[in-house]
Amino acid sequence: GEGASMASGTSAMAPAEEVKQVRLRLDHMLDMLMQLRSKKPIDGKAVPLVEDELMALIDKVRGIFAEQPMMLELDAPMKVAGDVHGQYYDLLRLLELGGSPHDSNYLFLGDYVDRGKNSIESVVLLFVFKAKYPENFFLLRG
């Protein structure tokens, strides 16, 4: 159709159009990310994720952050966690012990990436939960 001729005529526009057309499969991404919780921890074991879906996830979460107020007023009970530092297996255990974000409120205080070998998986898991449960899963900057 019309979009195809535009994309082939202007290569600079094609990547932006492709991201918008990607169907964000949050449940599939969550399944992929959570499959490591039953495995022996191997630092650096990558979860296969699709780049276009990651970009769509980032766009969705960016929109949620923009809609929510800068000053959060949250209700108890709340599970508070900080300093994930890319420690993916620790994050998986924390979520397993704390319960599903569907049933529990979470507040993460920052320091999501940098020291562990699974920083991408860590932040993607947090973003998937933020996208699925925007009213009871909160991430502070830091």
Side-chain angles (χ1 to χ4, degrees):
E2 189 175 293
S5 63
M6 278 183 66
S8 62
T10 311
S11 61
M13 297 272 299
E17 286 182 23
E18 289 172 17
V19 169
K20 291 180 184 174
Q21 294 174 359
V22 170
R23 191 173 124 243
L24 188 54
R25 302 176 303 161
L26 292 174
D27 290 329
H28 172 73
M29 291 177 84
L30 186 58
D31 289 344
M32 296 295 290
L33 290 159
M34 297 300 282
Q35 72 184 354
L36 292 184
R37 74 180 160 189
S38 62
K39 305 217 183 312
K40 180 181 176 190
I42 302 171
D43 279 344
K45 179 166 176 54
V47 174
L49 300 165
V50 178
E51 184 178 350
D52 288 343
E53 287 183 352
L54 293 177
M55 296 305 292
L57 175 64
I58 291 167
D59 284 343
K60 179 165 182 68
V61 173
R62 181 185 308 141
I64 293 169
F65 286 140
E67 290 172 7
Q68 291 183 333
M70 293 288 283
M71 175 70 170
L72 297 173
E73 295 183 30
L74 305 175
D75 296 324
M78 172 91 40
K79 292 169 180 61
V80 180
D83 294 3
V84 173
H85 288 294
Q87 302 292 331
Y88 189 59
Y89 290 95
D90 292 343
L91 177 59
L92 289 173
R93 278 193 298 276
L94 182 136
L95 291 163
E96 190 172 329
L97 293 172
S100 168
H102 179 268
D103 304 316
S104 302
N105 295 321
Y106 281 90
L107 174 64
F108 285 84
L109 302 177
D111 289 334
Y112 306 115
V113 300
D114 72 12
R115 295 184 192 153
K117 295 181 179 176
N118 293 94
S119 288
I120 292 172
E121 289 83 359
S122 297
V123 80
V124 170
L125 181 60
L126 294 169
F127 279 9
V128 167
F129 279 129
K130 180 64 181 172
K132 283 184 67 77
Y133 309 108
E135 297 304 318
N136 54 336
F137 199 87
F138 297 94
L139 304 168
L140 300 182
R141 290 190 318 176

